[in-house]
Amino acid sequence: MTFKEHYRFSLNRPAPTLDSDIITLAHGSGGLLTNRLLDNGVFELFDHSELQKREDGAVLNLSGSVAFSTDSFVISPIFFPGGNIGELAVNGTVNDVAMTGGIPQFLSLAFIIEEGLPVADFWEILLSIEHAANQAGVKIVTGDTKVVERGKGDQIFINTTGVGRLHQRALLDSTRIKPGDSIIVSGNVASHGMAILSKREGLEFETDILSDTQALNDLTVKLLDEFGHDIKVFRDPTRGGMATVLNEIAGQVDLGVALESEELPILPAVKSACEIFGLDPLYVANEGLFIAIVSKKVATKMLDILRGTEKGKDASIIGSVVEDHPGKVTASSGLGGKRVVSMPIAEQLPRIC
Amino acid sequence: MKYLDEYRDPKLARLVLDKIFESVSRPWSIMEICGGQTHSLVKNGILEILPKEITMIHGPGCPVCVTPINLIDKAILLAENANVILCSFGDMVRVPGSRKSLLQSKSEGSDIRIVYSPLEAVKLASQNPDKEVVFFAVGFETTAPTNALSVVQAAKMGLANYSILTSHVLVPPALNALLSDPESTIDGVLAAGHVCTVMGFKEYYPIAKKYKTPIVITGFEPVDLLQGILTTIEMLENQRFDVINEYGRVVEKEGNPHAMAIINEAFEVSDRKWRGVGNIDNSGYQLREKYQNYDADLKFAIKMNEVEENAECIAGSIMKGQKKPIDCIHFGKKCNPENPLGAPMVSSEGACAAYYHFSHSLFQNVS
């Protein structure tokens, strides 16, 4: 990645001056240096009343059903084409809350930093977190920073937890899935995983593939407003890809999932990279799309609405729920044959030839 | 994608399939050599739609599967040396050795790196002058050029801390061995396009003639494979025993002279042991004398005892095409990708893995 791609946000907003160019153990020790890091970094950026109180935690005003989710982010490399670990940490948890039918409102943000992380990189991560939180419309209300010795971590780990009230019309429950329901995917698959792979040590290849990391709460809220109970589940197929999520659903409801391979939306560059590495895009990670299982009667209209949005312009109906082969996912080959899309055993590895 | 989508066109595939139905008049057994072909046949459901007269026999063309078990043990032993960084292709790391796999060794703390190209391993060697970097160089003719190049490159750079653990095998001698087996039921052969891309296909003419077996070079997409099957059936029905190249968009008769030159620079032909198949004369490569300093086997001089294969695994019979994965009583039960008895269940080109992952009708019987 070029300098410009790496420092997308901090290029025009340089980091505050600290006593050191790298994060040291002292920055996490709770003393003066911690305060300096927080004063000049975190608090200045996330400027709102809940955080500025500097209490040990935040007091939130919530009522009714609340959606609640947490996730930890340990991605390597921490900067990748199309994003970095910071925005991933915001979008990932925002999406987890959104997938339950929640409207994400508040996030916690906790860092575990390995000593030696450049302050410039930490600053860039903070700015991208600010950007992602603004985009998703969530407030960061509490957090924590720990620094561990060199070798005890991998640059930076982030944990985020998100809460938000449940959408009034949400009735997301996999037990409501029925044979005949349609399966919609909101965008091109496998981009994130291939963007990461292109930068992984030992496997680097030159490509323009970007991670799809983005918050999806605007889309899920829009669809829930319009279609309410006709939406049976939302899932975001992150690690393990589409195959994992669809196998989980098929197993939970004891029905089959039949995919039409031809309908799977995928960017040509991603498809080519998958071909070269011998990877099945159905198993590659995504960070900015969801699968919706919906009543067949609303599927076409939902597709039209999704395609009218920037984030959903490549959405597609990729298959349906069937009574055949309960618990299993199949994909048509287009030749009249079909194959099982089995639950992945472990991470896919590039093959020899 | 150009050169791929056309060869996945369902209409075109159907057209070729219809021709196969028209051409076939009696039972024939065709072996596809390469595991990549096997996976495509199973993944695309082609085995289900072929006429019942045609039996596809899955060949030994899975580099991971034919790598001897004691060589995997040797790689693990090297990786367990704290001064060694062991680099491997991705799908080698899950293959069971006699004690464990490379992946298990990695989780126990060995420094094992997955690389896509051996040149990455050379780069690691130059970045880590205090470490010994060993590349586990397995494969057929397809990976030989880059593996050879890595050694030539390391020599040019004067790197003393790079070496390769070689298990290179060659297709034509193996094909010879399979066809000369009195128990062979192979009537025709689909030769692997990628191997021929490197080596050309002149070596196949005497084999086709000697064993009265038509050989067709194919690619890996559905239409490629169906066209290969059609051409083989047409030759068999007409008692023609020739070599035909149906992968003309990639394969030249003479192969790739640059790739062959680099192989020839670093390697010489040697006898090789194939896991599950046995010793085959002149069926592999070893480093030439001038590159002996880069031979991990000589450099580390590890003596390994012969180890017994798991007696419950029928991988040998599967590799020779005498049995199918579903003929194994352990398939999908005691043997699965999480707990494999043999290599074909974990390699991305193994026949057992293909059946396990993709085969709809067969899979239902074993789960």
Side-chain angles (χ1 to χ4, degrees):
Chain A
M1 277 198 295
T2 64
F3 187 81
K4 211 170 157 183
E5 286 161 346
H6 188 105
Y7 296 107
R8 285 178 301 153
F9 297 105
S10 52
L11 212 54
N12 300 320
R13 289 169 68 184
T17 312
L18 293 182
D19 49 317
S20 155
D21 289 341
I22 58 167
I23 306 276
T24 65
L25 277 178
H27 288 119
S29 66
L32 192 64
L33 285 177
T34 309
N35 280 332
R36 211 172 276 166
L37 179 69
L38 295 178
D39 280 342
N40 296 336
V42 182
F43 287 119
E44 194 162 302
L45 276 183
F46 307 114
D47 181 20
H48 53 76
S49 55
E50 288 87 347
L51 199 62
Q52 294 301 345
K53 286 178 195 154
R54 297 204 180 195
E55 304 286 354
D56 282 351
V59 178
L60 306 175
N61 193 3
L62 293 161
S63 62
S65 295
V66 171
F68 180 40
S69 186
T70 190
D71 207 343
S72 297
F73 298 83
V74 297
I75 193 164
S76 170
I78 58 173
F79 290 88
F80 49 82
N84 67 47
I85 190 169
E87 52 211 295
L88 199 67
V90 172
N91 294 335
T93 294
V94 162
N95 290 345
D96 283 346
V97 172
M99 293 306 118
T100 66
I103 303 169
Q105 293 166 274
F106 304 107
L107 282 191
S108 73
L109 173 67
F111 299 106
I112 296 173
I113 303 171
E114 184 190 20
E115 193 181 17
L117 180 76
V119 169
D121 281 357
F122 185 56
W123 180 247
E124 174 64 25
I125 289 168
L126 284 175
L127 289 180
S128 68
I129 287 171
E130 179 206 26
H131 176 77
N134 288 342
Q135 290 283 310
V138 293
K139 280 183 180 174
I140 289 158
V141 289
T142 186
D144 182 47
T145 304
K146 295 280 190 305
V147 180
V148 296
E149 280 169 59
R150 210 180 260 273
K152 298 280 170 67
D154 188 4
Q155 294 180 283
I156 184 168
F157 299 146
I158 305 179
N159 173 276
T160 51
T161 298
V163 290
R165 68 179 169 82
L166 198 67
H167 191 288
Q168 277 185 335
R169 300 196 65 202
L171 192 61
L172 300 177
D173 180 355
S174 60
T175 61
R176 294 176 53 241
I177 294 172
K178 296 274 176 298
D181 284 350
S182 298
I183 303 169
I184 294 180
V185 63
S186 68
N188 288 313
V189 303
S191 298
H192 176 74
M194 296 315 289
I196 300 302
L197 192 70
S198 75
K199 293 294 168 225
R200 196 154 276 179
E201 191 188 16
L203 300 172
E204 289 119 275
F205 58 99
E206 279 188 28
T207 173
D208 300 329
I209 300 171
L210 299 179
S211 165
D212 61 350
T213 180
Q214 60 183 350
L216 298 164
N217 52 331
D218 50 346
L219 287 192
T220 55
V221 167
K222 195 181 178 92
L223 294 184
L224 284 167
D225 287 346
E226 184 82 21
F227 300 103
H229 294 190
D230 279 319
I231 302 170
K232 313 290 181 75
V233 296
F234 284 129
R235 290 282 166 88
D236 64 338
T238 51
R239 202 173 34 173
M242 307 270 289
T244 302
V245 164
L246 291 170
N247 269 290
E248 279 169 5
I249 293 172
Q252 280 165 5
V253 299
D254 209 26
L255 290 167
V257 166
L259 299 179
E260 304 291 330
S261 299
E262 311 291 303
E263 302 301 328
L264 196 72
I266 181 165
L267 290 168
V270 175
K271 196 172 168 188
S272 302
C274 285
E275 288 289 341
I276 289 168
F277 283 91
L279 303 178
D280 185 337
L282 284 172
Y283 294 88
V284 177
N286 309 283
E287 286 293 344
L289 59 85
F290 61 79
I291 293 170
I293 300 188
V294 305
S295 305
K296 189 170 187 229
K297 63 178 197 293
V298 301
T300 323
K301 193 175 174 203
M302 191 180 291
L303 189 66
D304 287 344
I305 290 182
L306 273 172
R307 285 186 175 169
T309 65
E310 178 55 29
K311 290 177 185 173
K313 64 179 190 302
D314 299 306
S316 174
I317 299 173
I318 55 167
S320 58
V321 178
V322 294
E323 281 182 81
D324 284 352
H325 52 80
K328 291 198 167 60
V329 180
T330 61
S332 69
S333 74
L335 305 181
K338 54 182 168 181
R339 63 168 169 125
V340 169
V341 179
S342 54
M343 192 72 155
I345 306 296
E347 194 184 357
Q348 284 194 112
L349 298 168
R351 67 174 181 217
I352 289 185
C353 62
Chain B
M1 260 179 298
K2 197 152 170 58
Y3 301 127
L4 275 184
D5 290 341
E6 302 90 322
Y7 297 91
R8 290 175 184 174
D9 178 4
K11 282 196 198 116
L12 197 56
R14 184 55 62 180
L15 216 65
V16 184
L17 184 67
D18 288 346
K19 280 195 181 172
I20 295 175
F21 271 92
E22 284 165 27
S23 306
V24 69
S25 73
R26 40 174 284 211
W28 298 111
S29 293
I30 303 174
M31 174 179 269
E32 82 278 1
I33 294 284
C34 172
Q37 292 169 314
T38 307
H39 269 249
S40 185
L41 287 172
V42 180
K43 186 175 173 179
N44 290 295
I46 292 172
L47 297 181
E48 295 171 49
I49 56 175
L50 283 176
K52 62 179 186 328
E53 289 89 347
I54 300 175
T55 305
M56 297 306 294
I57 300 175
H58 314 312
C62 162
V64 160
C65 305
V66 300
T67 300
I69 190 163
N70 67 340
L71 212 66
I72 297 171
D73 288 347
K74 201 179 271 189
I76 291 168
L77 212 62
L78 278 172
E80 284 171 351
N81 177 337
N83 198 38
V84 169
I85 301 173
L86 188 104
C87 300
S88 170
F89 289 129
D91 53 359
M92 194 70 223
V93 300
R94 288 205 185 101
V95 179
S98 65
R99 292 180 299 132
K100 56 184 131 176
S101 66
L102 283 165
L103 204 59
Q104 283 163 316
S105 174
K106 182 174 159 73
S107 39
E108 289 167 12
S110 300
D111 193 349
I112 295 171
R113 316 270 181 101
I114 293 167
V115 296
Y116 186 64
S117 158
L119 294 179
E120 295 290 343
V122 175
K123 196 162 106 188
L124 270 174
S126 74
Q127 289 165 348
N128 296 276
D130 302 338
K131 294 270 186 180
E132 283 290 336
V133 174
V134 181
F135 179 69
F136 196 5
V138 304
F140 282 84
E141 292 90 332
T142 38
T143 54
T146 44
N147 291 353
L149 185 63
S150 77
V151 169
V152 174
Q153 187 96 345
K156 268 191 193 154
M157 292 163 74
L159 290 176
N161 63 332
Y162 178 73
S163 58
I164 65 173
L165 186 62
T166 320
S167 176
H168 258 293
V169 284
L170 301 168
V171 168
L175 186 56
N176 233 318
L178 288 173
L179 292 174
S180 65
D181 188 331
E183 285 180 43
S184 165
T185 57
I186 304 163
D187 299 310
V189 170
L190 302 185
H194 291 167
V195 170
C196 297
T197 307
V198 176
M199 304 301 284
F201 53 88
K202 286 195 297 190
E203 291 171 281
Y204 294 94
Y205 286 100
I207 300 175
K209 202 170 163 191
K210 182 174 175 191
Y211 299 105
K212 293 192 181 326
T213 304
I215 299 175
V216 179
I217 294 122
T218 82
F220 299 83
E221 300 307 322
V223 175
D224 285 318
L225 289 161
L226 287 166
Q227 181 61 46
I229 292 167
L230 173 62
T231 307
T232 311
I233 294 293
E234 284 173 345
M235 283 202 276
L236 284 168
E237 292 281 345
N238 294 307
Q239 291 293 293
R240 210 181 131 204
F241 308 114
D242 206 350
V243 178
I244 292 180
N245 178 17
E246 291 287 13
Y247 200 26
R249 68 185 185 280
V250 175
V251 174
E252 305 268 354
K253 192 173 187 175
E254 306 293 331
N256 178 336
H258 302 293
M260 286 194 283
I262 195 81
I263 293 175
N264 200 36
E265 165 67 23
F267 289 128
E268 62 191 5
V269 171
S270 68
D271 299 345
R272 274 281 163 199
K273 186 180 176 191
W274 295 51
R275 186 175 190 177
V277 179
N279 284 310
I280 305 176
D281 290 345
N282 299 318
S283 69
Y285 286 133
Q286 65 184 20
L287 281 171
R288 288 187 184 278
E289 209 180 334
K290 70 187 270 206
Y291 292 107
Q292 270 184 0
N293 293 344
Y294 296 92
D295 188 332
D297 237 332
L298 299 172
K299 189 173 199 175
F300 297 96
I302 301 171
K303 286 272 172 284
M304 303 287 295
N305 295 328
E306 282 298 312
V307 284
E308 293 289 316
E309 290 283 349
N310 189 330
E312 294 171 307
C313 179
I314 63 162
S317 305
I318 290 171
M319 307 291 293
K320 285 185 266 191
Q322 291 159 353
K323 290 212 167 128
K324 296 226 155 136
I326 42 165
D327 297 332
C328 176
I329 54 166
H330 300 302
F331 176 78
K333 294 172 187 152
K334 195 170 180 183
C335 180
N336 55 62
E338 259 175 300
N339 292 298
L341 289 179
M345 184 52 98
V346 275
S347 165
S348 63
E349 292 180 274
C352 300
Y355 275 63
Y356 188 92
H357 287 299
F358 300 129
S359 188
H360 179 49
S361 49
L362 302 167
F363 185 67
Q364 277 189 324
N365 298 333
V366 296
S367 57

